[in-house]
Amino acid sequence: MGKRIREERIKRKLTIEQLSELIDVSPSFLGLVERGYRGLSIEKLVAIAEAFDISIDSLLKTTDSDKVTKYDTIKPLLYNLDDNEFDFISNMIKESKKLFKIIDKKDK
């Protein structure tokens, strides 16, 4: 949904600030919605549809390009990490990859 909101906003040559003012939310919140990190209330979804003069279902409709990838599921979890947490997760991934390579070599 956020991706379609962003596409419609850009198509109509609206800035994120202009659209956020029209629907009475902060630009930072709307940015999170567009990137898929936050959802919208029905009231705000209606306001966006009205601002764009389109139906709500056109904002909600899923297309093949909207399919969630395995990477999309982890993005919200990584969004608010501090530097230490991010470094820890990054190192865990690197070490796991090394371990899997060792295990894979033993199986061959």
Side-chain angles (χ1 to χ4, degrees):
M1 175 181 65
K3 179 181 173 184
R4 282 184 298 289
I5 292 170
R6 183 174 193 271
E7 289 168 353
E8 288 293 331
R9 177 179 61 75
I10 291 170
K11 183 171 142 183
R12 288 165 172 68
K13 297 183 168 81
L14 288 172
T15 65
I16 202 163
E17 290 80 12
Q18 290 168 324
L19 180 57
S20 65
E21 189 173 316
L22 286 172
I23 65 167
D24 194 30
V25 297
S26 71
S28 60
F29 177 79
L30 185 55
L32 291 171
V33 170
E34 287 186 355
R35 291 190 304 276
Y37 294 116
R38 296 293 301 268
L40 286 170
S41 68
I42 297 296
E43 174 188 356
K44 296 303 177 188
L45 188 59
V46 169
I48 290 173
E50 288 176 351
F52 292 155
D53 194 30
I54 59 174
S55 66
I56 293 173
D57 67 323
S58 65
L59 291 174
L60 297 175
K61 197 180 312 175
T62 302
T63 64
D64 285 342
S65 65
D66 295 328
K67 289 183 181 170
V68 176
T69 68
K70 59 185 172 186
Y71 301 106
D72 293 329
T73 59
I74 199 167
K75 285 180 190 177
L77 300 173
L78 298 175
Y79 185 70
N80 288 318
L81 296 179
D82 65 29
D83 288 342
N84 290 333
E85 293 168 325
F86 184 85
D87 290 342
F88 175 78
I89 297 296
S90 178
N91 288 331
M92 292 296 294
I93 292 169
K94 289 174 188 173
E95 293 302 316
S96 295
K97 289 173 105 175
K98 288 179 191 174
L99 180 61
F100 288 129
K101 285 180 183 176
I102 292 169
I103 291 171
D104 188 44
K105 287 179 182 177
K106 286 182 180 179
D107 288 342
K108 291 183 179 182

